[in-house]
Amino acid sequence: MSTYDATQSNESKRTDKVYKDLNLDFQQNSATKDIIKITDVEAVKRSVRNLISLNHYEKPFHPEIGSNIRQSLFEPLNTLTAGVLTHNITNVLETHEPRILLHRVDCTPDIDRNAYNIRLDFFIINATTELISFEFIL
């Protein structure tokens, strides 16, 4: 009879959680022929980007999830609309992404390119990471 006990394998000293997600580009691992997984920071960043991109009623069975930022994209390009975008992004991330601690959301209108520059700064909870900056253009 083996002296190996199942409870010993569950006593891990690791305090960090590993977040995993599928790569939505569906790239294939050449060795295993399986879809490549993204992990940790990249998985959380992908989730943040997906939450921000969703409108209400786009996620099946969860109409409340979404930021509705697309409705503000055809409003006048000014600081008032940037404030609405900042509020919507902050609200969706604080409500539906429990893995992050949001530090700052900056939305700056770029009149020359007719766009908004969005910068998010956040920490990943239960991970030993520094402040993560995530930038994109709307």
Side-chain angles (χ1 to χ4, degrees), residues 107-136:
C107 182
T108 310
D110 186 355
I111 295 172
D112 294 335
R113 295 187 342 190
N114 198 26
Y116 291 97
N117 297 319
I118 310 290
R119 179 185 170 134
L120 305 172
D121 293 332
F122 58 89
F123 296 97
I124 297 179
I125 296 175
N126 293 333
T128 56
T129 59
E130 64 279 349
L131 183 69
I132 296 170
S133 294
F134 182 50
E135 297 180 10
F136 59 96

Side-chain angles (χ1 to χ4, degrees), residues 52 69 72-73 76-90 104-111 115-121 134-138:
I52 292 170
I69 61 170
S72 300
L73 293 181
L77 191 68
N78 57 25
T79 55
L80 183 62
T81 306
V84 170
L85 287 171
T86 301
H87 173 74
N88 289 347
I89 291 170
T90 302
R104 182 176 69 183
V105 177
D106 285 336
C107 182
T108 310
D110 186 355
I111 295 172
Y116 291 97
N117 297 319
I118 310 290
R119 179 185 170 134
L120 305 172
D121 293 332
F134 182 50
E135 297 180 10
F136 59 96
I137 297 173
L138 288 177

Side-chain angles (χ1 to χ4, degrees), residues 51-52 54-57 66-72 85 88:
L51 277 172
I52 292 170
L54 277 175
N55 276 335
H56 291 294
Y57 299 99
S67 66
N68 267 356
I69 61 170
R70 280 186 243 153
Q71 76 180 5
S72 300
L85 287 171
N88 289 347

Side-chain angles (χ1 to χ4, degrees), residues 6-128:
T7 59
Q8 291 175 346
S9 66
N10 291 333
E11 295 174 5
S12 174
K13 304 238 187 296
R14 183 179 174 142
T15 59
D16 297 345
K17 289 186 177 183
V18 176
Y19 300 116
K20 298 178 186 175
D21 200 0
L22 290 177
N23 187 347
L24 296 180
D25 296 332
F26 296 106
Q27 296 171 343
Q28 190 177 30
N29 185 337
S30 59
T32 63
K33 305 294 184 198
D34 200 5
I35 295 174
I36 295 175
K37 290 183 262 184
I38 56 175
T39 57
D40 292 334
V41 174
E42 290 303 316
V44 174
K45 285 169 93 174
R46 173 76 52 97
S47 175
V48 165
R49 189 183 73 198
N50 289 342
L51 277 172
I52 292 170
S53 300
L54 277 175
N55 276 335
H56 291 294
Y57 299 99
E58 283 186 345
K59 187 170 179 111
F61 306 108
H62 290 286
E64 74 281 359
I65 296 177
S67 66
N68 267 356
I69 61 170
R70 280 186 243 153
Q71 76 180 5
S72 300
L73 293 181
F74 296 102
E75 296 295 324
L77 191 68
N78 57 25
T79 55
L80 183 62
T81 306
V84 170
L85 287 171
T86 301
H87 173 74
N88 289 347
I89 291 170
T90 302
N91 188 31
V92 74
L93 292 179
E94 287 178 348
T95 306
H96 299 291
E97 185 52 78
R99 299 178 291 181
I100 68 168
L101 178 62
L102 194 58
H103 179 65
R104 182 176 69 183
V105 177
D106 285 336
C107 182
T108 310
D110 186 355
I111 295 172
D112 294 335
R113 295 187 342 190
N114 198 26
Y116 291 97
N117 297 319
I118 310 290
R119 179 185 170 134
L120 305 172
D121 293 332
F122 58 89
F123 296 97
I124 297 179
I125 296 175
N126 293 333
T128 56

